[in-house]
Amino acid sequence: MKTAIAFLLFSGLQLAAQDMQSCPMHKEHMKEESQHQADVEKHGDEAMGFPHDKTTHHFRLYSDGGAIEVTVNDTKDSQNVQAIRSHLAHITTMFSNGEFSIPMFVHDQVPPGVLVMKDKHTEISYGFEELPTGGRVRIKTTNPDALKAVHDFLSFQIEEHHTGDTTGVTDRQLPQDFQCFIGRQMQIYEGQ
């Protein structure tokens, strides 16, 4: 019985893969996805003031909120370290005031969670922290609706920026050096 189920599942996966390839619009879908990613990267570079390809983004989901982390890929890149810190400090102020125009510009849409985060901005705290090679915006809330919105927002960022971060919620932060090491290992593994 298990063999039959495994065979059916495997056959179904093969058919699904063949169906995507045989779809007359497959190439068009792939081109649209590629163009969307290029637009996100272009808008991100414009809005942030530093190039995405010289930095690494991480979005973390914690039981009390989450974090947005950006670090330089080259530890000697002091110019982009300063640009990251300036941008994240600015984002901290904007988000604290319920202002989310930058992520809306970058993604050309209202990201999931933003409407609730705007509405409940007084129940969410945003704090900027310098990291040795960049910075972090720490997001905290005790409001269940705001917490769900923060997680939805960060999960969307993970997907849109292809960071490889988990969308699972963790109870504690790992040390920054370990997070950077794991993030870099994932990039190497994925061939980036």
Side-chain angles (χ1 to χ4, degrees):
M1 181 67 169
K2 288 181 184 177
T3 304
I5 291 172
F7 175 76
L8 290 173
L9 284 173
F10 181 72
S11 298
L13 289 174
Q14 282 185 321
L15 286 174
Q18 288 173 353
D19 284 347
M20 286 192 303
Q21 295 295 331
S22 64
C23 171
M25 298 297 292
H26 180 71
K27 286 183 182 176
E28 190 64 31
H29 296 305
M30 296 307 291
K31 189 164 84 172
E32 288 172 9
E33 185 176 315
S34 178
Q35 182 59 50
H36 173 72
Q37 186 61 36
D39 289 345
V40 167
E41 291 170 356
K42 178 179 178 258
H43 290 161
D45 289 357
E46 290 172 20
M48 295 181 298
F50 52 85
H52 70 278
D53 58 343
K54 294 187 181 209
T55 60
T56 300
H57 284 70
H58 288 290
F59 302 93
R60 316 271 186 214
L61 283 68
Y62 299 131
S63 57
D64 65 349
I68 301 167
E69 299 173 2
V70 185
T71 55
V72 292
N73 296 339
D74 178 356
T75 57
K76 296 176 188 149
D77 186 356
S78 61
Q79 181 180 356
N80 281 321
V81 168
Q82 291 308 313
I84 288 167
R85 291 175 178 166
S86 175
H87 170 69
L88 293 180
H90 181 64
I91 286 293
T92 299
T93 301
M94 289 181 70
F95 286 11
S96 294
N97 293 322
E99 171 59 51
F100 291 86
S101 58
I102 289 179
M104 290 165 50
F105 168 71
V106 169
H107 300 286
D108 198 27
Q109 63 179 296
V110 177
V114 163
L115 296 178
V116 174
M117 290 169 73
K118 285 173 114 175
D119 184 53
K120 303 211 178 277
H121 74 275
T122 59
E123 298 182 58
I124 305 171
S125 70
Y126 299 89
F128 171 70
E129 304 167 8
E130 284 190 6
L131 300 174
T133 58
R136 171 189 303 128
V137 176
R138 185 66 167 88
I139 308 167
K140 295 182 181 182
T141 186
T142 57
N143 179 291
D145 293 332
L147 182 62
K148 181 182 180 326
V150 168
H151 289 169
D152 290 347
F153 176 77
L154 294 172
S155 294
F156 172 79
Q157 299 296 328
I158 290 167
E159 182 180 320
E160 283 281 292
H161 293 282
H162 303 282
T163 64
D165 296 320
T166 180
T167 56
V169 176
T170 59
D171 287 330
R172 63 178 179 81
Q173 289 180 237
L174 295 172
Q176 174 60 25
D177 293 341
F178 185 72
Q179 290 177 17
C180 290
F181 171 76
I182 295 299
R184 187 68 191 130
Q185 296 308 308
M186 288 302 296
Q187 287 179 330
I188 291 168
Y189 175 75
E190 293 170 355
Q192 296 178 350

